């Protein structure tokens, strides 16, 4: 009887803690009736200052994200058109009329600059470095195409100042602009410009060395014996310039220095073959010999 009374007395007062093996702890808001909690939710004022601030933050982030996506698409278009220009310029050594190739490449580069103009218009009033990762691949490919065309014309390297001079646009063809709102049209200045950063310029020049290596092999296949030696000296000067930067430059620059060294080694190997065995090998077989030696170098150095 005493045990039963103790049990009943314990059940009447309610267990503290976890209420035994199968009990649950009460939550704090369970002490309030459900109607009161519903009224508190309804009392939240949507147009309050806090909600208005977060709405403005959401609109700003969505606008910035949409602009970033548009810049990524423009950069992809710039990359594609620049690659097509480079492929066209490789036909310069084998084409019967090289001037037609150069004029056609200029037309393609003008189309690329129109894309870059759209990028410049998207960046009006914005910090370019906030969107630099979106446009950097396209700018690097454009620098590679422009410098390749400039080398074929002048046998020298174009400077970053000359590249930036070509990227100053006027408002004479404003109607070509797309993806711009009406409010931004009213705020547009009469000129737009987009500057290629020194890092993008260096990375584009580093990629140029690979195209010059291919130009060397194709020129030898066409019977041009002087171009490989000229390219060898030019690539050596570029490589010396990059070695002055060393590890003080950005990581991407030091990463492409290895590829630059491989391109220089392939061109120097071609010059060595021409100097030592040039008189023994017929001209129509020189390209096959160089391609074979290039594959052997890649295998020794573990390149794919």
């Amino acid at each position: 009887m005493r045990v039963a009374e103790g049990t009943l007395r314990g059940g009447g007062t309610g267990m503290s803690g976890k209420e035994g093996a199968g009990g649950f702890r009460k939550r704090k808001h369970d002490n309030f009736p459900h109607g009161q909690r519903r009224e508190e939710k309804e009392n939240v004022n949507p147009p309050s200052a806090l909600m208005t601030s977060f709405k403005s933050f959401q609109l700003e982030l969505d606008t910035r994200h949409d602009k970033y996506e548009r810049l990524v698409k423009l950069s992809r278009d710039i990359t594609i058109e620049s690659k097509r220009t480079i492929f066209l310029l490789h036909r310069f050594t084998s084409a019967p009329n090289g001037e037609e190739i150069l004029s056609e490449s200029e037309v393609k580069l003008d189309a690329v600059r129109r894309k870059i103009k759209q990028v410049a218009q998207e960046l009006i009033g914005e910090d370019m470095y906030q969107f630099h990762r979106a446009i950097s691949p396209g700018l690097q490919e454009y620098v590679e195409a422009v410098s390749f065309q400039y080398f074929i014309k002048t046998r020298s390297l174009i400077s970053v100042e000359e590249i930036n001079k070509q990227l100053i646009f006027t408002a004479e063809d404003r109607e070509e602009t797309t993806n711009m709102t009406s409010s931004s049209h009213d705020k547009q200045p009469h000129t737009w410009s987009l500057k290629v950063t020194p890092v993008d310029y260096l990375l584009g020049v580093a990629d140029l060395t690979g195209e010059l290596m291919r130009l060397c092999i194709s020129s030898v296949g066409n019977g041009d014996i002087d171009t490989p030696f000229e390219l060898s000296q030019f690539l050596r000067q570029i490589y010396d310039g990059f070695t002055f930067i060393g590890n003080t430059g950005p990581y991407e620059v030091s990463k492409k220095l290895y590829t630059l060294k491989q391109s220089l080694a392939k061109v120097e190997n071609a010059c060595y073959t021409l100097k030592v065995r040039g008189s023994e090998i017929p001209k129509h077989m020189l390209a096959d010999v160089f391609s074979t030696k290039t594959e052997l170098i890649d295998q020794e150095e573990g390149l794919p």
Side-chain angles (χ1 to χ4, degrees):
M1 290 296 291
R2 292 182 180 178
V3 175
E5 290 178 357
T7 304
L8 293 174
R9 188 179 300 112
T13 57
M15 289 186 180
S16 61
K18 297 183 180 179
E19 296 189 358
F24 297 95
R25 187 189 297 245
K26 283 189 176 182
R27 293 173 292 182
K28 291 184 179 180
H29 58 75
D30 286 342
N31 296 325
F32 297 95
H34 293 282
Q36 184 177 350
R37 293 201 304 269
R38 190 179 300 110
E39 290 176 0
E40 290 178 355
K41 291 182 180 179
E42 293 176 354
N43 290 332
V44 176
N45 191 9
S48 64
L50 183 62
M51 296 297 295
T52 304
S53 299
F54 274 95
K55 286 290 184 182
S56 62
F57 297 156
Q58 178 186 2
L59 180 60
E60 182 179 355
L61 291 175
D62 290 342
T63 303
R64 187 174 296 274
H65 178 73
D66 293 341
K67 180 173 290 190
Y68 190 92
E69 292 300 322
R70 291 197 298 269
L71 290 174
V72 169
K73 293 178 182 178
L74 287 172
S75 177
R76 191 180 298 117
D77 294 338
I78 293 171
T79 301
I80 293 173
E81 293 299 327
S82 299
K83 285 183 179 294
R84 290 174 179 172
T85 305
I86 294 173
F87 295 153
L88 174 66
L89 290 171
H90 275 295
R91 293 165 46 195
F92 179 80
T93 56
S94 60
N97 190 359
E99 294 298 328
E100 294 182 358
I101 299 295
L102 292 177
S103 60
E104 187 177 351
S105 66
E106 189 64 32
V107 173
K108 288 184 175 294
L109 287 177
D110 287 338
V112 175
R113 294 187 189 100
R114 286 194 292 271
K115 293 288 185 181
I116 296 178
K117 179 182 178 181
Q118 296 181 23
V119 174
Q121 290 172 329
E122 289 282 358
L123 294 177
I124 292 175
E126 300 284 353
D127 185 3
M128 188 194 73
Y129 289 96
Q130 292 184 355
F131 302 93
H132 182 255
R133 182 173 293 184
I135 63 177
S136 180
L139 292 179
Q140 293 176 27
E141 201 69 29
Y142 171 74
V143 170
E144 182 181 357
V146 170
S147 57
F148 191 33
Q149 184 201 49
Y150 190 85
F151 176 81
I152 293 176
K153 289 181 178 179
T154 63
R155 297 297 177 179
S156 60
L157 181 64
I158 190 172
S159 63
V160 66
E161 292 79 12
E162 293 177 351
I163 293 177
N164 288 330
K165 286 180 181 179
Q166 300 174 358
L167 300 182
I168 299 177
F169 312 102
T170 59
E172 56 187 6
D173 53 350
R174 181 180 296 181
E175 63 274 3
E176 296 181 1
T177 307
T178 58
N179 296 327
M180 300 293 292
T181 60
S182 58
S183 60
S184 61
H185 273 297
D186 299 332
K187 299 179 182 179
Q188 286 179 355
H190 295 290
T191 58
W192 298 270
S193 63
L194 182 66
K195 290 186 177 181
V196 175
T197 62
V199 175
D200 290 335
Y201 173 74
L202 290 176
L203 295 176
V205 172
D207 292 334
L208 170 68
T209 58
E211 305 302 331
L212 294 179
M213 182 270 296
R214 296 180 184 89
L215 180 65
C216 170
I217 303 301
S218 61
S219 62
V220 172
N222 294 324
D224 187 0
I225 309 300
D226 298 329
T227 299
F229 295 96
E230 186 177 0
L231 290 174
S232 176
Q233 296 179 358
F234 183 73
L235 290 177
R236 172 58 63 180
Q237 294 175 358
I238 294 179
Y239 179 74
D240 292 341
F242 272 87
T243 53
F244 288 145
I245 300 176
N247 296 327
T248 60
Y251 170 73
E252 294 85 358
V253 176
S254 59
K255 184 178 179 181
K256 291 199 174 185
L257 183 61
Y258 181 78
T259 305
L260 194 159
K261 185 177 180 181
Q262 306 312 315
S263 300
L264 176 62
K266 294 174 184 178
V267 174
E268 289 180 341
N269 179 74
C271 294
Y272 171 80
T273 305
L274 285 175
K275 199 71 174 178
V276 176
R277 301 184 58 192
S279 59
E280 303 174 0
I281 304 174
K283 290 185 177 181
H284 66 278
M285 296 179 60
L286 286 175
D288 297 335
V289 174
F290 290 150
S291 61
T292 303
K293 287 183 173 295
T294 300
E295 292 176 358
L296 292 176
I297 293 176
D298 292 343
Q299 293 176 1
E300 292 176 358
E301 296 171 350
L303 295 176

